[in-house]
Amino acid sequence: MTTGSFIGISTMKPCRKLLSSYKSSSLLGFSPTKLNNSIMELLSRPHPQPIYSHRYNTCNKQVIGYRRVINLNQRDFNIPDSNWARSRIFSTSCCVNIGINRTRSISLIPNVASDIRNHSTSIDSRANETSFENIYIQNGLNVKPLVFERVETGPNQLEEVSRENVNIDNSKGLNERKVSEIEKEAWQLLRAALVTYCGNPVGTVAANDPAGKQPLNYDQVFIRDFVPSALAFLLNGEGEIVKNFLLHTLQLQSWEKTVDCYGPGQGLMPASFKVRTVPLDGSNEAFEEVLDPDFGESAIGRVAPVDSGLWWIILLRAYGKLTGDYALQERVDVQTGIRLILKLCLTDGFDMFPSLLVSDGSCMIDRRMGIHGHPLEIQALFYSALRCSREMLTVNDTSSTLVAAVNNRLSALSFHMREYYWVDMKKINEIYRFKTEEYSTDAVNKFNIYPEQIPSWLVDWICDEGGYFIGNLQPAHMDFRFFTLGNLWAIVSSLGTTKQNRGILNLIEAKWDDLVAKMPLKICYPALEGEEWRIITGSDPKNTPWSYHNAGSWPTLLWQFTLACIKMERPDLAQKAVDLAEKRLSVDRWPEYYDTRSGRFIGKQSRLLQTWTIAGYLTSKMLLENPEKASSLFWMEDYELLQSCVCMLNKTGRRKCSRFAARSQILV
């Protein structure tokens, strides 16, 4: 049957090259000879390359991705057979608006679905071969596999194949229970923060503050900021928004990213992206929507976002657990994205430790705060991402080496963190009695920590029944500050032992007035003050003592605290924090953070209607009401990891691995 369709054809060279290079292949699931001659002529015709000053269109090897074209004079192209469009592997992408009420579109995204055998009989022998993956990663990941998502069903109708427009007024799940007025307000604000691309929601802006005269980058979609929003939507049965987000950010992973002609390795995820509308090929009548990512080249300090890829992997697992759609994880492009992130993190270097070495400002604390080195937050997220990847990676000949590397790093990292980052009253007393300048493989003070580094505030602050993971560890340096996010994720991911996890919550409960006070929760404790603040922060006027990243109170940490409490069977502690936050958040217009030692004031530079503040509250409420869903988001102890030793020292005859000496403590 011959049908018609209005299609906007991308003029990007990669699309044309990709289709023409497989003219005789059945890999696409259709014979190119079925294409109308006018289409093939259009695809092979030389097209002028658009010239923009923006980064998103400067490389002719780069596929922008979705393009939304708005042109009242757009010509329509005839496609003789709709069967060819059912292939779900490669194509191009755009949305065309013709006339006022005549929208015709073919929406295309990178996609190699797990049910691909239903669409092509030629793929079985290639799915697990390296050559198949090479099709995806050719040209340094600047060429993307593309797929038709909508097919023609009649002369004037289009049928959606796998995506749905998400109703932003959807109240699914909310009608099943009694919802407070504060929750209703929060949902309205969360939906108002949605960002659409080609008519589909792809994320939420960081803040929607109407009083913000200078949006800076708060009008962008941040990967880390979107995680609580994503969980709120997932818990409310709205998974399509999260799926769109995961696929679009995956597409951005391959983009060129440079600062002064130098860039990081493949696999880096952007910190954020923005949907921009630009003229199409210099036309004043046609416009297109493009995604403009920021990989850190626009950030303060020009620091690459190390945590973005880790959060992406964590969210990918959460999507599968809460929706049951594990097919997304199995797609070739998604599997390749996971591998690239892991390879970037697992690359061999000069470091002697299994923890990740990063610069200051590479995570939630994105300004200079003295966390360069091996900060706890990155290590906890790294461990979580490794555990996620261990579950999601498809094991075959091409991935077996990477899977082994993941297992080895998990084993080494868990031991390293539990042994050297954990402090309680007993451990602090041991450090107090440390001998220094020990030169031997049997040294007790392996990092040459000087006892004088123990801060005076810690001696009286640490409680007898609690403990925590310190903020950083380097040669001759221990950062004894309490960093909340890292400690909460140590609980969630089982980076800590059961005893250690209990100790963290015991400490938070005992020091409630310091870590929670008027608003949960302190991002770190205590604040840098005086000369220490001047030297470490560089006299940062935004990170003044007890403000912003310097011991400010961040309500978005509430959902992570709730998740950790549910895991450790302490929902009462989470409920106490939620009740406390509920009294002020709506009245204060959902601030980004709070200032002062007790979190009494709204932050002096805090944005209002901060999206992850809103989403963190909603996620906490839903987790407390559905604790069984929380079990899909945390990990229990994996004893297989504790039984494996990767250092092989016990087989060299030189000495036995120190892990055996600590095995009894690890298994507590």
Side-chain angles (χ1 to χ4, degrees), residues 362-378:
S362 58
C363 51
M364 179 181 175
I365 298 178
D366 57 3
R367 301 171 73 94
R368 181 176 165 188
M369 271 293 292
I371 65 169
H372 58 281
H374 305 83
L376 173 65
E377 177 177 334
I378 290 294

Side-chain angles (χ1 to χ4, degrees), residues 52 114 164 322 356 523 657:
Y52 298 119
S114 62
E164 301 174 1
L322 293 175
L356 280 183
I523 191 171
C657 173

